[in-house]
């Protein structure tokens, strides 16, 4: 095999990112790397040929000359060896709850790291405590055949409620919450209460604003401290019941 064959091998195996530190590369490099070629030389030649695009040290997006790989698949592939999941805007778009262009993809991981510019979007890693990361309602699926670890609808809403800064299009959260079924709202309420009081308050506010039935888990909630629906934004109407500024 020559250097030029490596990207095609990755695409055939539906791998969107070549990370020289990954378990996949460490297992396959003996067969993929031509005899007599150094790893850095091969990567550099592939970048120059336009078959790889370096996005961070040791990590390269594999370029498909036929069609662009879904940015959300690239974002998930960057953390393939770590416990992670894609959430908020990109997850909502994946689930059909948003149709806005996604320019920031939020990926939940167990450690902080720098944002990664993958060309079509900025991948923003955010840290979550291990207990919440391990308990997250996220699952492995595919997009165009590429692996994707993504939050469920309820988990993505819970993340947006607990950490409003994780969602770029926060003004759409009310519409998204209203699109959930009653059963989904019940499950979201349970998750929001477990995550934080502020998350539960914001959910109650949005449900009340949509004139929906308040989930059983929220009925007895009695917040004692006021919060903002979207911290950092101008304060809107105040809900006495949920003690939330809209």
């Amino acid at each position: 095999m020559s250097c030029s064959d490596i990207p095609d091998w990755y695409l055939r195996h539906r791998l969107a990112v070549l990370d020289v530190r990954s378990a996949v590369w460490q297992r396959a490099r003996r067969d993929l790397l031509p005899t007599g070629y150094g790893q850095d030389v091969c990567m550099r030649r592939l970048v120059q040929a336009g078959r790889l695009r370096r996005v961070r040290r040791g990590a390269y997006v594999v370029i498909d000359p036929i069609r662009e790989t879904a940015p959300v698949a690239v974002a998930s592939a960057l953390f393939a060896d770590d416990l992670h999941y894609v959430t908020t805007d990109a997850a909502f778009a994946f689930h059909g709850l948003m149709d806005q262009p996604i320019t920031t993809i939020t990926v939940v991981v167990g450690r902080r790291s720098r944002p990664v510019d993958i060309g079509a979007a900025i991948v923003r890693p955010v840290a979550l405590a291990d207990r919440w990361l391990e308990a997250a309602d996220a699952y492995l699926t595919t997009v165009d055949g590429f692996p994707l670890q993504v939050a469920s609808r309820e988990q993505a809403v819970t993340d947006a409620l607990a950490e409003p800064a994780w969602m770029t299009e926060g003004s759409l959260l009310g519409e998204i919450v209203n699109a959930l079924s009653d059963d989904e709202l019940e499950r979201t309420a349970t998750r929001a209460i477990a995550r934080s009081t502020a998350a539960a308050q914001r959910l109650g506010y949005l449900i009340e604003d949509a004139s929906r039935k308040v989930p059983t888990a929220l009925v007895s909630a009695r917040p004692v401290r006021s919060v903002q629906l979207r911290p950092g934004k101008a304060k809107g109407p105040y809900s006495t019941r949920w003690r939330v500024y809209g």
Side-chain angles (χ1 to χ4, degrees), residues 4-5 13-14 18 21 55 60 65 71-72 86 93 101 111 116 129 131 144 175 183 192 214-215 221 231 233:
S4 61
D5 295 320
H13 288 80
R14 314 310 282 171
L18 190 165
R21 295 164 295 187
V55 292
Y60 306 82
V72 71
V86 172
R111 53 181 172 74
V116 182
R131 66 189 182 105
D144 297 333
E175 297 177 23
D183 287 343
V214 176
K233 306 295 182 180

Side-chain angles (χ1 to χ4, degrees), residues 7-243:
D8 292 330
W9 185 91
Y10 264 75
L11 292 173
R12 283 198 304 273
H13 288 80
R14 314 310 282 171
L15 300 169
V17 171
L18 190 165
D19 189 333
V20 299
R21 295 164 295 187
S22 69
V24 169
W25 175 254
Q26 294 306 317
R27 287 194 301 266
R29 62 176 293 175
R30 181 178 300 176
D31 296 327
L32 297 180
L33 199 62
T35 303
Y37 276 79
Q39 175 178 283
D40 292 344
V41 172
C42 208
M43 299 302 113
R44 185 166 60 251
R45 290 189 176 184
L46 289 170
V47 170
Q48 293 171 347
R51 296 305 314 276
L52 295 181
R53 181 171 65 249
R54 184 179 183 275
V55 292
R56 69 182 183 194
R57 185 177 181 182
Y60 306 82
V61 174
V62 182
I63 306 301
D64 186 338
I66 305 301
R67 62 175 180 176
E68 181 182 8
T69 302
V72 71
V74 174
S76 187
L78 284 169
F79 301 93
D81 284 353
D82 300 315
L83 184 60
H84 76 282
Y85 64 90
V86 172
T87 193
T88 59
D89 304 71
F92 293 140
F94 177 79
H95 292 302
L97 295 171
M98 272 180 56
D99 57 9
Q100 280 72 15
I102 304 300
T103 57
T104 300
I105 301 173
T106 302
V107 181
V108 181
V109 291
R111 53 181 172 74
R112 292 185 180 276
S113 58
R114 294 180 179 178
V116 182
D117 185 349
I118 61 172
I122 300 296
V123 178
R124 176 178 57 183
V126 295
L128 191 61
D130 287 347
R131 66 189 182 105
W132 295 121
L133 183 56
E134 292 169 1
D137 184 19
Y139 59 95
L140 181 64
T141 183
T142 61
V143 53
D144 297 333
F146 290 91
L148 170 64
Q149 189 76 19
V150 65
S152 68
R153 290 154 61 107
E154 299 100 310
Q155 182 66 53
V157 169
T158 301
D159 288 336
L161 293 166
E163 302 287 349
W166 290 4
M167 186 175 179
T168 302
E169 300 290 345
S171 61
L172 299 178
L173 187 56
E175 297 177 23
I176 291 169
V177 167
N178 195 31
L180 300 184
S181 68
D182 289 343
D183 287 343
E184 287 177 318
L185 283 180
E186 287 284 356
R187 292 192 293 269
T188 302
T190 299
R191 286 190 169 276
I193 290 171
R195 187 78 165 267
S196 71
T197 301
Q201 288 175 251
R202 294 182 181 113
L203 179 59
Y205 178 95
L206 292 173
I207 291 172
E208 180 184 77
D209 190 56
S211 300
R212 295 283 299 277
K213 177 185 176 182
V214 176
T216 305
L218 288 176
V219 169
S220 61
R222 291 293 180 269
V224 296
R225 185 175 300 173
S226 297
V227 298
Q228 286 182 253
L229 182 62
R230 299 179 64 200
K233 306 295 182 180
K235 290 183 179 181
Y238 181 71
S239 167
T240 303
R241 166 68 178 92
W242 301 107
R243 298 183 71 86

